[in-house]
Amino acid sequence: MRKVKIVPEAEDEYRVRPDPDDPKLTVRVAGVDQTGARVKTGVVVERPLTIFLNRQEIVTAMTIGDYPEYLALGFLLNQNMLRLDDVVTAVECDDDLEVVVVRTKRATDYEEKLKKKVQTSGCAQGTVFGDLMEAIENASLPKAELRTSWLYALTHKINTTPSLYLEAGAIHGCVLCEQDRPLVYMEDVGRHNAVDKIAGWMFRNNVRPDDKIFYTTGRLTSEMVIKTVRMGIPILVSRSGFTAWGVELARKAGLTLIGRARGKRFLALSGEERIVFDQDLRYVEDESAKHRRKAAVHED
Amino acid sequence: MRKVKIVPEAEDEYRVRPDPDDPKLTVRVAGVDQTGARVKTGVVVERPLTIFLNRQEIVTAMTIGDYPEYLALGFLLNQNMLRLDDVVTAVECDDDLEVVVVRTKRATDYEEKLKKKVQTSGCAQGTVFGDLMEAIENASLPKAELRTSWLYALTHKINTTPSLYLEAGAIHGCVLCEQDRPLVYMEDVGRHNAVDKIAGWMFRNNVRPDDKIFYTTGRLTSEMVIKTVRMGIPILVSRSGFTAWGVELARKAGLTLIGRARGKRFLALSGEERIVFDQDLRYVEDESAKHRRKAAVHED
């Protein structure tokens, strides 16, 4: 049993992590507080990014705009418009036009697909139901292990990592992890964007999914489950709650689904067999109100 | 100055409010907790609802499914596909097929519009940018007043109203209010659905927007601002944070935008002139950690 207390600060373990000091990501805005006093506050930016696949305009996403290349690649992958074996010949970003063009060796045409839309609670831009289900039906997620000692170390490290959320709030975070190490921490106004940026990063860096753990600040909706399964990651963890369809899809796909992970508490509603209970809970701290206020309120 | 303490329990003031006991809205699911013990928990349902406008399939939304008629009408209104002066000849719901068909006297065709999509951070299913901007440019929101005494009474009543959120979490809430009275409290897995259900209710019940206050648990994103402006409501309040574009659009439209409304604290970043500071803050309670934990974590 792991008896040592979890130690904070693991930012060095990150290959990508938030840069709350990037002036492009937040602006200072003036207003009044409850006493009527003039105050200034930082708010996250939200700008349109139009994604093209070869000649075709696919979508305009609202994003903080920090990783347009990863966002475009990940979005197309998670929409099943880009395949893992596709040869990407170029990714052209134009900051002024707020456009990113992904070029592939394979000729692509998703005219028909773009006509039919599904709005998921997790806000996948139009995705055809058939595709969503296909990803689940054909899922064959690998054997994997989630030690509770890793889980507690991860949530502690993630919650103590400087982030735009802690700076300005109103943003979502997703973290790609391996064992007890957070590797890539992406934030965005749209949680789906944060997921897609991680998928794009994995594609670009040829990172294998089978030994990874995916952490999200957001709810475990059907969309979140589908994206994780599509990415081939066997374990999905969130500090937030579940939806019934999310649980149903996770069970169909054999995904380990852990929610309400706060302090020493968590709840697994699918794939429990991957969990190894190696952490002595007497050595895990509950969330302090102060920390809870900071980390818990991942709004919308 | 308002010196009396705010008293809880105002459910009787509601014309529509959540029914956390409705067996159709949550299911019991079995899993394991952090100790490895088998536990059961309630999770909110999430089911597809395909919305037709006359002959045309418009979108499939994931919803808890409690008010398909209001959701369909509100969605079409907020997408600018249904006009306030349209004559709705029928709204046909088929629970088994999970389909709702809205029929209008006016012939409609949004083929072209459905091709072009924008994914907002707040998850508007495809909405053409032009339309979004049009709503803001042409906005002429009415003169109105927001007394801080109303604001504190509202947030207190809303936070103490029994809801699916308090039961199962992982859900969003929106409340249509008048002065210090909450009138319609809608919840859904997708926050945009909760907004649309309120818009549909207003349309069906011929409710005027100019003297209303709109409360949301979610972030004040560009989409949230645009929908509120489209609905003609001059004041938008949230316990969550802001995005820069949300603030910019609110200022363009002259919308009063209040965020981070918790306990005695709030922040107004647009339309401050409508606020009347009549509440003596010494008589307003801060949020307790317990209550904060309950009400604050409106996940994703």
Side-chain angles (χ1 to χ4, degrees):
Chain A
M1 296 289 275
R2 189 173 183 288
K3 288 208 165 78
V4 290
K5 270 202 176 181
I6 295 142
V7 289
E9 295 329 323
E11 294 164 33
D12 38 83
E13 294 178 341
Y14 287 104
R15 291 178 59 180
V16 179
R17 62 187 182 86
D19 177 10
D21 302 328
D22 182 340
K24 290 200 306 293
L25 302 186
T26 55
V27 291
R28 301 289 296 169
V29 181
V32 299
D33 69 10
Q34 68 276 6
T35 67
R38 305 295 307 175
V39 291
K40 283 203 154 208
T41 185
V43 295
V44 292
V45 299
E46 183 188 22
R47 49 174 71 95
L49 178 72
T50 301
I51 299 171
F52 283 76
L53 177 56
N54 296 311
R55 280 206 183 68
Q56 208 155 43
E57 179 179 338
I58 303 300
V59 70
T60 297
M62 295 306 305
T63 171
I64 59 173
D66 55 349
Y67 295 102
E69 172 179 352
Y70 294 148
L71 176 56
L73 289 170
F75 177 85
L76 294 171
L77 281 166
N78 283 335
Q79 292 291 314
N80 208 13
M81 293 177 173
L82 184 66
R83 304 181 196 144
L84 285 170
D85 60 3
D86 267 325
V87 178
V88 173
T89 53
V91 180
E92 298 148 14
C93 299
D94 184 322
D95 291 354
D96 306 332
L97 295 178
E98 293 171 325
V99 163
V100 55
V101 183
V102 174
R103 302 196 185 281
T104 58
K105 200 167 167 190
R106 175 174 62 95
T108 56
D109 178 11
Y110 293 104
E111 180 79 36
E112 278 314 302
K113 179 169 181 168
L114 288 169
K115 280 190 196 164
K116 219 163 177 311
K117 304 288 174 182
V118 174
Q119 174 182 42
T120 68
S121 51
C123 336
Q125 171 264 3
T127 316
V128 181
F129 246 133
D131 288 9
L132 298 181
M133 287 313 160
E134 214 178 286
I136 296 297
E137 305 302 340
N138 306 338
S140 63
L141 290 172
K143 271 203 165 48
E145 182 178 89
L146 174 67
R147 299 187 190 168
T148 53
S149 58
W150 297 346
L151 180 63
Y152 292 118
L154 285 174
T155 52
H156 182 85
K157 290 170 182 175
I158 290 166
N159 288 338
T160 52
T161 300
S163 65
L164 273 176
Y165 172 70
L166 293 177
E167 282 290 306
I171 195 159
H172 280 296
C174 289
V175 189
L176 181 70
C177 312
E178 188 176 322
Q179 296 189 342
D180 64 350
R181 297 183 304 280
L183 301 179
V184 179
Y185 186 158
M186 294 285 192
E187 295 188 293
D188 210 306
V189 279
R191 181 189 40 139
H192 42 95
N193 291 346
V195 183
D196 290 344
K197 283 190 281 191
I198 287 180
W201 180 90
M202 290 176 74
F203 178 80
R204 262 315 202 203
N205 295 276
N206 252 303
V207 171
R208 53 186 278 211
D210 57 300
D211 61 347
K212 299 298 184 296
I213 299 160
F214 200 88
Y215 176 93
T216 173
T217 57
R219 290 172 301 163
L220 298 165
T221 59
S222 50
E223 182 209 8
M224 198 60 221
V225 166
I226 287 158
K227 287 194 177 218
T228 308
V229 170
R230 280 195 58 80
M231 290 162 74
I233 298 174
I235 298 160
L236 175 59
V237 178
S238 172
R239 59 174 296 110
S240 301
F242 306 84
T243 67
W245 202 40
V247 172
E248 192 184 322
L249 292 181
R251 289 175 173 180
K252 268 207 182 78
L255 175 74
T256 295
L257 194 67
I258 293 179
R260 303 181 195 161
R262 297 189 189 146
K264 66 176 62 178
R265 309 182 60 189
F266 71 79
L267 193 58
L269 295 185
S270 172
E272 303 93 310
E273 67 281 356
R274 290 196 182 90
I275 304 172
V276 179
F277 295 86
D278 70 330
Q279 173 69 57
D280 185 333
L281 294 178
R282 289 170 302 173
Y283 296 85
V284 182
E285 286 174 7
D286 282 315
E287 270 186 2
S288 69
K290 174 166 163 296
H291 168 252
R292 186 165 52 229
R293 192 174 72 255
K294 274 185 159 181
V297 192
H298 270 275
E299 299 133 339
D300 168 25
Chain B
M1 296 289 273
R2 190 175 185 286
K3 287 210 167 73
V4 291
K5 272 203 175 182
I6 295 140
V7 290
E9 295 327 325
E11 296 162 32
D12 38 84
E13 294 178 342
Y14 287 104
R15 292 179 59 181
V16 180
R17 60 187 182 88
D19 177 11
D21 302 328
D22 182 341
K24 290 201 305 296
L25 302 185
T26 55
V27 291
R28 301 291 293 171
V29 181
V32 299
D33 69 9
Q34 68 275 5
T35 68
R38 306 294 307 176
V39 292
K40 282 203 157 212
T41 186
V43 295
V44 292
V45 299
E46 184 187 21
R47 49 173 70 95
L49 178 72
T50 301
I51 300 171
F52 283 77
L53 177 56
N54 296 312
R55 278 204 182 69
Q56 207 156 43
E57 179 178 338
I58 303 299
V59 70
T60 297
M62 296 305 305
T63 171
I64 60 174
D66 54 351
Y67 294 101
E69 172 179 352
Y70 293 147
L71 176 56
L73 290 169
F75 177 85
L76 294 170
L77 281 167
N78 284 335
Q79 292 291 311
N80 208 12
M81 293 176 173
L82 185 65
R83 303 182 195 143
L84 285 170
D85 60 4
D86 267 326
V87 178
V88 173
T89 53
V91 179
E92 299 150 11
C93 298
D94 184 323
D95 292 355
D96 305 333
L97 295 178
E98 293 171 326
V99 163
V100 54
V101 183
V102 174
R103 302 196 185 281
T104 58
K105 200 167 167 190
R106 175 174 62 95
T108 56
D109 178 11
Y110 293 104
E111 180 79 35
E112 277 315 302
K113 180 168 181 169
L114 288 168
K115 279 190 194 166
K116 219 165 178 307
K117 303 289 175 182
V118 173
Q119 173 181 42
T120 67
S121 51
C123 337
Q125 173 263 4
T127 317
V128 181
F129 246 132
D131 289 8
L132 299 180
M133 285 314 159
E134 211 178 289
I136 297 296
E137 307 302 341
N138 306 339
S140 63
L141 291 171
K143 272 202 165 48
E145 182 177 88
L146 175 67
R147 298 186 190 168
T148 53
S149 58
W150 298 347
L151 180 63
Y152 292 118
L154 285 173
T155 52
H156 182 86
K157 290 170 182 174
I158 290 166
N159 288 338
T160 52
T161 299
S163 66
L164 273 175
Y165 172 71
L166 293 178
E167 281 292 304
I171 195 158
H172 280 294
C174 289
V175 189
L176 181 71
C177 313
E178 188 177 323
Q179 297 190 342
D180 64 350
R181 296 183 304 280
L183 301 179
V184 179
Y185 187 158
M186 294 284 192
E187 294 188 295
D188 210 305
V189 280
R191 182 190 39 139
H192 42 97
N193 290 346
V195 183
D196 291 343
K197 283 190 282 192
I198 287 180
W201 181 88
M202 290 174 75
F203 178 81
R204 262 317 202 202
N205 296 275
N206 252 304
V207 172
R208 54 187 277 214
D210 57 300
D211 61 347
K212 299 299 184 294
I213 299 161
F214 200 88
Y215 176 93
T216 173
T217 58
R219 291 173 299 163
L220 298 165
T221 59
S222 50
E223 181 208 10
M224 198 60 221
V225 167
I226 288 160
K227 286 194 179 220
T228 308
V229 170
R230 280 195 58 79
M231 290 161 75
I233 299 174
I235 298 159
L236 175 58
V237 178
S238 172
R239 58 174 296 110
S240 301
F242 305 85
T243 67
W245 202 39
V247 172
E248 193 184 322
L249 293 182
R251 289 175 173 181
K252 270 209 183 77
L255 175 73
T256 295
L257 193 66
I258 293 179
R260 303 182 196 162
R262 300 192 187 143
K264 66 175 64 177
R265 308 181 61 191
F266 71 78
L267 192 59
L269 295 184
S270 172
E272 302 93 309
E273 67 280 356
R274 290 197 182 90
I275 304 173
V276 179
F277 295 87
D278 70 331
Q279 174 68 56
D280 184 334
L281 294 179
R282 289 171 301 175
Y283 296 85
V284 182
E285 286 175 4
D286 283 315
E287 271 187 1
S288 68
K290 173 167 165 296
H291 169 252
R292 185 165 53 232
R293 192 172 71 257
K294 273 186 160 181
V297 193
H298 270 274
E299 300 132 341
D300 170 46

